[in-house]
Amino acid sequence: KDGAYIAMHDIHLEGTTDVEEKFPDRARKDGRWYAADFTLTEIKGLQAEERLPKRFPQGAGDFEVPTFQEVIELVQGLNASTGRDVGIYPELKSPSFHNKEGLPMEAAFLKILDEYGYHGPDAKVFIQCFEPVTTKKLRTEFKTDLPVIQLISSRQAAMLRDASLDEIATYANGIGPDKGLIDKNPQVVKAAQARGLAVHPYTIRRDMKPRQYETTQDELRQFFFVYGVDGMFTDFPDDAVRVVQAGK
């Protein structure tokens, strides 16, 4: 609620922290603990936890919620020590909700990127958001020339129609659709690419493999070499790297 930017998948805290134990009486009427109701100091006092049960052991380790700036500094520090040039792919999560809370996100977010040296259309960053109003504003109102990706959920399938792709191409550099939408309609990939849009579906997970694929590698090969996507969201990037390096 003090305008700090934290790295967290949801606008709620209970899925990945021990907020229920630390602040049992701070939930809203819907029973959720909203990050927007807590100061950064309060959030830093929480224990960060794994969301999915079969991953890093829940309750193990001593982790805190990182700020957006801390994530950038980690990536840039690793780049400096390894000689690599890895980028970042931040998502503006529910900006319309935060605007109603008096916490507009876009301007200060872009200022952070600028302060850390992300400039121009070739910067190693993709800014993603599910809300078309926000992705349009980034280009038209805030005049950013950084790469922008329009995320598309399974409930937003209409955005993959030709007319909608035409509109998206006027303000975004690519689309990030739910991978199930591509499985159902692979022609969307070429349709988007024909409009100059990169296609980055989400999310391939080794421990949440769809039934139609025998292995995660089969799923990755299907998306990269049959559907022809430009990139993939995955929780297991080592799998994706090996598949891409091996080729068809």
Side-chain angles (χ1 to χ4, degrees):
K1 68 181 182 182
D2 46 4
Y5 285 73
I6 59 172
M8 178 166 286
H9 185 269
D10 301 308
I11 63 174
H12 311 108
L13 295 169
E14 67 272 12
T16 49
T17 76
D18 61 350
V19 68
E20 300 120 305
E21 299 172 18
K22 299 275 178 61
F23 298 99
D25 57 351
R26 293 277 293 277
R28 293 195 184 189
K29 291 181 179 179
D30 61 359
R32 310 298 300 272
W33 282 258
Y34 287 75
D37 294 333
F38 293 80
T39 66
L40 180 60
T41 298
E42 290 173 329
I43 290 173
K44 280 292 189 181
L46 301 175
Q47 176 78 25
E49 301 172 336
E50 170 61 55
R51 180 170 61 96
L52 299 175
K54 294 182 180 180
R55 303 266 180 101
F56 193 90
Q58 293 180 328
D62 185 18
F63 303 104
E64 65 179 38
V65 176
T67 64
F68 179 39
Q69 292 93 326
E70 286 169 341
V71 172
I72 293 175
E73 290 171 8
L74 173 65
V75 172
Q76 292 188 348
L78 288 170
N79 282 344
S81 62
T82 64
R84 300 177 67 188
D85 190 17
V86 174
I88 60 174
Y89 210 134
E91 176 187 354
L92 285 169
K93 178 68 76 170
S94 303
S96 59
F97 164 81
H98 289 98
N99 283 337
K100 292 177 183 176
E101 296 291 316
L103 294 167
M105 305 180 78
E106 299 89 346
F109 168 79
L110 290 172
K111 184 179 179 182
I112 293 171
L113 290 177
D114 182 68
E115 290 172 348
Y116 281 92
Y118 296 95
H119 305 129
D122 296 321
K124 287 293 184 71
V125 59
F126 287 109
I127 304 169
Q128 57 179 326
C129 186
F130 278 105
E131 298 182 9
V133 170
T134 294
T135 44
K136 290 177 186 176
K137 281 172 61 178
L138 290 171
R139 195 69 83 207
T140 59
E141 181 178 333
F142 295 99
K143 306 297 183 183
T144 186
D145 56 357
L146 294 171
V148 172
I149 300 292
Q150 178 62 63
L151 291 173
I152 301 173
S153 72
S154 58
R155 293 174 292 181
Q156 296 172 304
M159 293 178 68
L160 295 176
R161 295 172 182 167
D162 285 346
S164 295
L165 289 174
D166 288 339
E167 182 179 4
I168 292 171
T170 66
Y171 64 82
N173 300 87
I175 58 173
D178 182 307
K179 66 178 183 179
L181 296 174
I182 303 298
D183 269 324
K184 292 177 183 176
N185 185 15
Q187 296 89 341
V188 164
V189 176
K190 295 296 185 287
Q193 291 168 338
R195 292 164 170 81
L197 295 167
V199 182
H200 300 162
Y202 68 91
T203 302
I204 287 185
R205 298 181 173 100
R206 191 186 302 158
D207 49 5
M208 298 175 69
K209 180 179 59 65
R211 293 179 180 177
Q212 67 264 38
Y213 298 106
E214 280 194 28
T215 67
T216 303
Q217 288 71 26
D218 289 339
E219 185 178 13
L220 285 162
R221 280 191 286 268
Q222 181 77 9
F223 275 87
F224 278 119
F225 302 126
V226 179
Y227 300 157
V229 301
D230 302 283
M232 282 295 306
F233 288 95
T234 176
D235 293 349
F236 301 89
D238 52 326
D239 286 341
V241 169
R242 281 193 291 269
V243 166
V244 171
Q245 289 179 342
K248 297 181 181 182

